[in-house]
Amino acid sequence: QRAVDAVVKRFGKLQLAHLNAGVAATSNVLDTTLEEWNRVVSINLSGVFYGLQALARALGGAVSALRAPWKEPMGVRRAATI
């Protein structure tokens, strides 16, 4: 929220933003700890969610989110994406 507020304060409005953050577990799915999984979820999902909330406030609710493809997450060759 602070980053969005700083942009609006400096430039008067926000027209476009790119949320680019993501991490992957460093081990395969069987060896991934709950702590490591929670870190991945916190950054990849919650981070984007909070960013979209801040952007929606600045843009009056008009936001769109796209997901880039991710090859072989956590050693899984086929995975569902949303």
Side-chain angles (χ1 to χ4, degrees), residues 10-55:
R10 180 170 179 185
F11 298 104
K13 64 180 177 177
L14 180 69
Q15 293 178 307
L16 177 71
H18 179 87
L19 301 173
N20 186 35
V23 296
T26 57
S27 55
N28 68 47
V29 70
L30 295 175
D31 297 328
T32 300
T33 65
L34 181 57
E35 180 181 17
E36 187 175 17
W37 176 248
N38 285 336
R39 179 179 172 270
V40 170
V41 169
S42 176
I43 293 169
N44 295 357
L45 298 180
S46 298
V48 171
F49 172 74
Y50 296 133
L52 287 173
Q53 275 190 327
L55 294 170

Side-chain angles (χ1 to χ4, degrees), residues 27-30 70-80:
S27 55
N28 68 47
V29 70
L30 295 175
W70 185 13
K71 186 178 179 185
E72 299 182 23
M74 298 176 64
V76 177
R77 294 214 179 256
R78 300 277 183 220

